[in-house]
Amino acid sequence: MPQMTALGGEARSARGRAHPNVALVKYWGKRDARLNLPSVGSISVTLDGLWTEVRVRESEADGDTYWVNGQPVIGEAAAQLFQNLEVLRAELGLGVRFCVEATSNFPVASGLASSASTGAALTVAVAAFCTRELSARELSILARRGSGSAARSIFGGFVEWHSGTASDGSDSFAEQLASPEAWPLGIVVAITDRQPKAVGSRAGMRHAQTSPFFAAWVTTQDADLAAARQAIAQRDLEHLGTVAEHNCLKMHGVALTAQPSLLYWKPGTLAAMDTVRGLRRRGILAYFTIDAGPQVKVLCHLRDCPTVADALRDTPGVLEVMCSQPGPGARVLEVVA
Ligand code: PMV
């Protein structure tokens, strides 16, 4: 329902929608925490079935307010979003306080990249609210300031986020490598835990450099990026899946060996990884990847999604399975002027 102002008119608002993305070659570690500049480039695929919608409207309260799926969010959970709003206000020259209402059709803060879909949807909504015509690259740079992976969710399909070298972050943006239609791959998501994760990616990355493997992670990333780029260009699932699985295990190797150590997996995560390797032994091309959480995402041919989903459903510790494919970028759904 549109909110009414004291004078009876509809409050000015804008609504955007964005989808989470699954990192195939991952972002882990920052070279500048304030500007959210990554130590490495990354490549992802944006998902179609999952989404977050964000509506922003001018708030009559003293400060910003944040609601997720109709519930007010306060404390630590809201602090990140309020910080994103500060950046957007500063960069876009805005003076208003916002009421932000987010709705997601999937569990938030549990390793399904809700920070990417929320950050990208917030960025396009705030830009639309202030009627700023920004290029996709500019939106990507703005979204990156809130959450690194949000820079990639501005785009649909297969997306690369360039780490860049400029100290002001002007060359650290994402761009599309292939549209969702160009390669309708299957992505099966296995939920192994619905609880919000104990350590978010921001906190997780803070100590990434303490891993003895961090330097090797950084120096081997370019080879993984090149391999993934080539596999996407050639629509080569075996090649892409192999590099994605390898890169995932390297990222988790860095997380596991950081001080303090981070273990994002649950028993169901390991069981799902085992299922995926079992499928491969049966000749089905299926490859897992896991972001900063316990959920397992499996790449496969679209025609194999039902077989992969059934095998994951039969896996102990897997609570729910969702089938997806590459989806669209962030977009504005409505502006009430
Ligand atoms: O964008 P953040 O701060 O939510 O970090 C995302 C980190 C990973 O999901 C683990 C990897 C990635 O590239 O998305």
Side-chain angles (χ1 to χ4, degrees):
M1 277 288 288
Q3 298 289 314
M4 306 302 273
T5 64
L7 297 175
E10 250 180 52
R12 184 171 161 65
S13 70
R15 190 158 55 94
R17 178 186 274 207
H19 298 247
N21 63 76
V22 171
L24 303 171
V25 177
K26 299 187 190 295
Y27 151 50
W28 196 252
K30 300 178 201 255
R31 67 173 204 280
D32 182 323
R34 191 182 65 84
L35 292 176
N36 249 349
L37 296 175
S39 303
V40 290
S42 55
I43 290 178
S44 61
V45 56
T46 304
L47 299 182
D48 74 335
L50 312 182
W51 49 258
T52 301
E53 270 185 29
V54 172
R55 194 160 82 101
V56 294
R57 66 182 164 80
E58 193 162 350
S59 172
E60 280 142 30
D62 283 345
D64 298 314
T65 55
Y66 183 30
W67 302 71
V68 172
N69 296 332
Q71 299 295 322
V73 184
I74 51 168
E76 180 91 1
Q80 169 72 56
L81 183 115
F82 294 156
Q83 208 181 313
N84 294 4
L85 284 175
E86 284 304 340
V87 169
L88 289 168
R89 265 193 290 267
E91 294 292 324
L92 298 172
L94 286 169
V96 288
R97 298 284 145 198
F98 288 107
C99 170
V100 177
E101 294 159 286
T103 317
S104 289
N105 71 342
F106 61 98
V108 294
S110 62
L112 282 179
S114 58
S115 63
S117 52
T118 305
L122 178 75
T123 304
V124 296
V126 172
F129 177 92
C130 63
T131 57
R132 285 288 285 275
E133 290 280 339
L134 298 176
S135 68
R137 179 174 296 189
E138 288 168 321
L139 287 168
S140 169
I141 288 177
L142 272 179
R144 187 206 77 221
R145 293 286 305 277
S147 161
S149 55
R152 298 187 310 237
S153 274
I154 293 294
F155 299 91
F158 295 84
V159 180
E160 177 162 7
W161 170 20
H162 304 284
S163 67
T165 52
S167 57
D168 65 355
S170 53
D171 58 355
S172 185
F173 53 82
E175 59 190 352
Q176 190 180 63
L177 294 174
S179 72
E181 300 75 30
W183 193 12
L185 201 66
I187 304 136
V188 183
V189 180
I191 306 290
T192 64
D193 189 10
R194 291 200 186 86
Q195 297 308 311
K197 58 196 173 194
V199 182
S201 42
R202 184 168 293 243
M205 278 188 231
R206 208 168 287 147
H207 304 289
Q209 279 86 345
T210 62
S211 165
F213 304 137
F214 186 75
W217 160 251
V218 173
T219 53
T220 57
Q221 187 80 343
D222 280 350
D224 290 0
L225 289 167
R229 241 180 258 127
Q230 190 187 26
I232 291 165
Q234 297 175 343
R235 319 283 187 261
D236 181 342
L237 174 60
E238 189 172 356
H239 197 173
L240 182 63
T242 303
V243 70
E245 219 175 89
H246 171 66
N247 188 269
C248 160
L249 292 171
K250 270 196 298 189
M251 181 215 113
H252 285 274
V254 170
L256 281 163
T257 51
Q259 289 171 321
S261 162
L262 276 174
L263 172 56
Y264 283 111
W265 304 344
K266 297 284 175 193
T269 315
L270 269 172
M273 290 156 82
D274 201 41
T275 294
V276 170
R277 293 198 162 171
L279 283 164
R280 279 218 295 279
R281 283 194 293 277
R282 286 166 48 198
I284 294 163
L285 290 188
Y287 300 87
F288 64 75
T289 188
I290 305 153
D291 286 317
Q295 329 302 5
V296 179
K297 294 91 180 230
V298 183
L299 306 180
C300 61
H301 286 304
L302 206 49
R303 62 174 181 272
D304 289 332
C305 276
T307 312
V308 171
D310 282 349
L312 288 166
R313 267 186 211 106
D314 287 345
T315 301
V318 171
L319 308 176
E320 189 185 338
V321 175
M322 299 181 272
C323 291
S324 190
Q325 53 182 306
R331 59 218 178 273
V332 177
L333 297 180
E334 181 188 43
V335 181
V336 177

